[in-house]
Amino acid sequence: MRRRLGRRALVVASAATLLLSTVMVGTASAHGSTIDPPSRNYGCWERWGSDFQSPDMATEDPMCWQAWQADTTAMWNWNGLYREHVAGNHQAAIPDGQLCSAGRTGGDRYAALDVPGEWHATEVDNDFTVTVHDQAHHGADYIRIYVTEQGYDPVTEPLGWDDLELVADTGLLAPGEGRPENSYPLNGVSIDIDVHAPGRTGRHVVYMIWKASHYDQTFYACSDVVFPG
């Protein structure tokens, strides 16, 4: 199994690339994402950030491969996928087919995350826990978790709003609420959200909407899962 970055320094191919990645991670270090099951770009960074130029990725993890080729900064900035001034009107701000990129926030930076395919998926039961990491103790007006309806095929279909069912809503979370994390690269708090998603089998997408409480700034994430059966 390929080495992960979780608890050690970032290793890259050259000093120039190291400098670039350090800048990218640093600029987004005050934000967060879904880390379990991992969002598509966090998972790609976690699995391949230390070896992102490896040709093995093309065959071992092809969806991550196409994402790295499209824009490497989407992975270095795994914690910066957000939109401002949405005012809670998520469907108006984000068109169908662009949910994973938050409506192409940042231009085309995160566009590859919208591509349907066999993304690396985490095995879960119909009762499972979603963990969202809040790096800078923003808190939340709410974190909402959605799971795709049975019958949706994430391998072939772009994700649309009608494919989702709301399965959890945290309501208000105070800044700093959650489990402290002191290991690189997290260094914030992790929020565990219990989810009940009956009637699902096979591949699905978990969609996270996190409205930060400090500002009209909303984070989004797609995570891939596999239910039993």
Side-chain angles (χ1 to χ4, degrees):
M1 184 174 180
R2 188 161 298 277
R3 293 167 55 191
R4 293 187 174 187
L5 284 179
R7 301 182 183 278
R8 53 184 173 275
L10 186 65
V11 178
V12 290
S14 67
T17 305
L18 176 61
L19 177 61
L20 174 63
S21 65
T22 302
V23 171
M24 292 296 183
V25 171
T27 58
S29 62
H31 305 310
S33 185
T34 307
I35 60 171
D36 187 21
S39 63
R40 287 178 174 176
N41 50 335
Y42 177 74
C44 288
W45 178 83
E46 189 181 33
R47 292 191 297 278
W48 294 98
S50 61
D51 199 14
F52 70 96
Q53 294 177 320
S54 170
D56 294 340
M57 193 192 322
T59 54
E60 294 180 16
D61 204 344
M63 297 311 296
C64 279
W65 172 258
Q66 63 87 31
W68 279 102
Q69 303 314 301
D71 195 330
T72 60
T73 58
M75 273 58 70
W76 301 128
N77 285 283
W78 60 265
N79 47 11
L81 205 171
Y82 65 89
R83 293 189 70 89
E84 295 181 336
H85 310 302
V86 174
N89 200 349
H90 308 289
Q91 295 191 34
I94 301 174
D96 285 340
Q98 297 182 14
L99 274 67
C100 298
S101 67
R104 304 291 168 85
T105 189
D108 288 333
R109 170 175 292 178
Y110 298 103
L113 304 180
D114 291 318
V115 178
E118 293 188 2
W119 290 88
H120 183 90
T122 302
E123 293 185 359
V124 297
D125 294 321
N126 294 102
D127 293 296
F128 65 103
T129 300
V130 173
T131 301
V132 176
H133 190 68
D134 178 356
Q135 285 189 311
H137 298 187
H138 288 325
D141 289 352
Y142 54 80
I143 300 175
R144 294 174 182 163
I145 305 297
Y146 300 77
V147 178
T148 49
E149 300 273 7
Q150 187 67 15
Y152 169 74
D153 181 5
V155 175
T156 61
E157 300 175 48
L159 183 62
W161 290 105
D162 287 346
D163 298 315
L164 298 173
E165 179 188 2
L166 179 65
V167 294
D169 186 334
T170 65
L172 188 67
L173 296 172
E177 185 172 346
R179 290 184 293 103
E181 300 268 13
N182 297 313
S183 61
Y184 177 83
L186 301 179
N187 298 317
V189 293
S190 288
I191 301 154
D192 296 324
I193 304 164
D194 291 332
V195 169
H196 180 57
R200 272 82 168 176
T201 60
R203 280 185 168 270
H204 281 268
V205 173
V206 175
Y207 193 59
M208 183 275 293
I209 299 177
W210 163 27
K211 169 60 177 68
S213 62
H214 71 297
Y215 188 62
D216 191 0
Q217 190 175 71
T218 308
F219 295 81
Y220 303 86
C222 284
S223 303
D224 294 89
V225 297
V226 179
F227 290 99

